Amino acid sequence: MTSTPETAVLGSLTEALASVLSCSREVIELAVCTMVAGGHLLLEDVPGVGKTTLARAMARGVGGTSKRIQFTPDMLPGDLTGVSVYQQSTGRFEFHPGPLFANIVIADEINRANPKTQSAMLEAMAEGQISVDGDTYPLPDPYMVIATQNPIELEGTYALPEAQLDRFMTCASFGYPTADAESAMVANDHTDSPLAHLERVCSAEDIARLRAQAGRVRVARPIADYIVALVASTRRWEGVRYGASPRGSLGLAAMARSRAMTLGRDFVLVDDVQAVAVPVLAHRLVLDHGGYGTGVMERSRALVADIVSATPAPRVANV
């Protein structure tokens, strides 16, 4: 790894998060890369494994503003976007922003909300703005949604629409902690919150600068062709009804750029693309036999891994 100012900041953030979280370092690195790539992250797993803690730790480590939304079946779209309230004193409607107006939005158990409320987040996630009563309001920059969801087989959950899943750049699963990690959690002093000693590592302005820098990381034409070939394969692979959209190609390129920058390079290698292909593409697939939940996601991840193994990779010299 080449040391650069960017790698120093991102390395410090990763180390700070790893010091207070019990999840795997791979998940932490994926979360940091997703933030730098300008995307949104979906954390999917059973309750109680630390999904919300990771989201809160990210918000604290980055600084800026953060809001947490606990999704429930009776939540309405206005509970997220905000509402216009008539002010008698002025004779005008005044907009009161909702919790979507923050640099990092923690959408906790997003699949407990009804589909109408879930869809209210589409504009925010895709365009960085929301529309209320005919007026459009820009959201803070940088803007990131870190959502958690429980497996769809659990009672009181709704499947996220495919259009909304496509807005998440990456999807990760924690899995249960190792026995050693879980023993350490049990033995730790619980007088303080796990995040009590986590200090801010960088600012929202730093993240905006890093995002701009990541966008300038070079993707050679053979690498771009390889990304398109991987995504195209998801559309015709056996067992897949609908493959990844062009947004998947753009997300794969953005995550490959982000990973390259965290490793101190200003160009993308095949390794960068292959390392992020599963978390970028798996949640975008609709399988032939349908269904939702942990088992389906595991099959999707296995299919993407097979596609990566079967797709010839270009030989590109460092540029």
Side-chain angles (χ1 to χ4, degrees):
M1 178 188 298
T2 303
S3 179
T4 66
E6 292 79 18
T7 60
V9 171
L10 296 175
S12 297
L13 179 58
T14 301
E15 292 298 332
L17 295 174
S19 69
V20 298
L21 297 171
S22 60
C23 62
S24 72
R25 190 180 183 89
E26 181 180 354
V27 172
I28 295 172
E29 291 174 348
L30 179 71
V32 172
C33 277
T34 302
M35 179 176 59
V36 174
H40 308 291
L41 171 65
L42 179 62
L43 300 172
E44 180 184 58
D45 221 316
V46 296
V49 294
K51 302 185 299 296
T52 305
T53 304
L54 170 60
R56 290 174 56 212
M58 289 279 290
R60 180 173 294 213
V62 169
T65 57
S66 65
K67 295 286 180 66
R68 178 180 178 274
I69 307 170
Q70 178 62 57
F71 283 76
T72 57
D74 60 348
M75 183 173 283
L76 300 175
D79 295 329
L80 304 178
T81 60
V83 294
S84 295
V85 179
Y86 181 74
Q87 300 293 326
Q88 259 189 333
S89 59
T90 62
R92 302 176 60 181
F93 282 91
E94 182 178 315
F95 178 65
H96 291 253
L100 288 183
F101 285 83
N103 293 118
I104 295 182
V105 175
I106 304 169
D108 209 8
E109 296 186 303
I110 190 173
N111 61 334
R112 290 199 178 277
N114 60 70
K116 183 176 182 180
T117 302
Q118 290 176 5
S119 65
M121 297 189 65
L122 288 176
E123 183 182 14
M125 294 174 66
E127 301 177 33
Q129 64 181 32
I130 64 165
S131 299
V132 178
D133 296 332
D135 294 319
T136 300
Y137 302 92
L139 294 168
D141 182 34
Y143 185 72
M144 181 183 188
V145 174
I146 303 177
T148 72
Q149 75 166 357
N150 298 326
I152 202 66
E153 295 93 341
L154 295 182
E155 185 177 354
T157 57
Y158 301 83
L160 291 180
E162 285 80 3
Q164 186 165 351
L165 283 172
D166 202 32
R167 261 62 175 192
F168 286 101
M169 184 173 286
T170 54
C171 178
S173 177
F174 274 42
Y176 290 107
T178 64
D180 287 343
E182 193 165 358
S183 293
M185 291 167 57
V186 173
N188 279 346
D189 183 350
H190 290 279
T191 55
D192 288 329
S193 162
L195 307 184
H197 304 292
L198 177 62
E199 297 182 357
R200 191 183 79 170
V201 175
C202 57
S203 66
E205 291 74 19
D206 291 330
I207 297 303
R209 178 177 56 82
L210 290 170
R211 285 182 172 183
Q213 182 70 20
R216 292 190 286 270
V217 173
R218 288 169 288 173
V219 178
R221 183 55 185 265
I223 298 291
D225 291 342
Y226 178 59
I227 289 172
V228 172
L230 287 174
V231 175
S233 293
T234 69
R235 302 166 189 164
R236 56 175 180 266
W237 203 260
E238 184 179 355
V240 179
R241 181 177 300 174
Y242 299 111
S245 70
R247 188 179 285 113
S249 300
L250 294 173
L252 189 52
M255 281 296 291
R257 285 187 170 101
S258 179
R259 183 179 187 272
M261 191 180 76
T262 62
L263 296 176
R265 284 185 275 104
D266 63 355
F267 56 89
V268 171
L269 297 177
V270 169
D271 288 349
D272 298 316
V273 178
Q274 293 176 339
V276 299
V278 171
V280 170
L281 299 178
H283 65 287
R284 305 174 194 267
L285 306 187
V286 178
L287 304 187
D288 278 341
H289 299 296
Y292 299 90
T294 305
V296 175
M297 183 57 69
E298 289 174 354
R299 296 206 309 272
S300 294
R301 290 180 176 127
L303 284 172
V304 174
D306 290 343
I307 289 170
V308 171
S309 297
T311 304
R315 294 183 179 180
V316 182
N318 294 354
V319 292

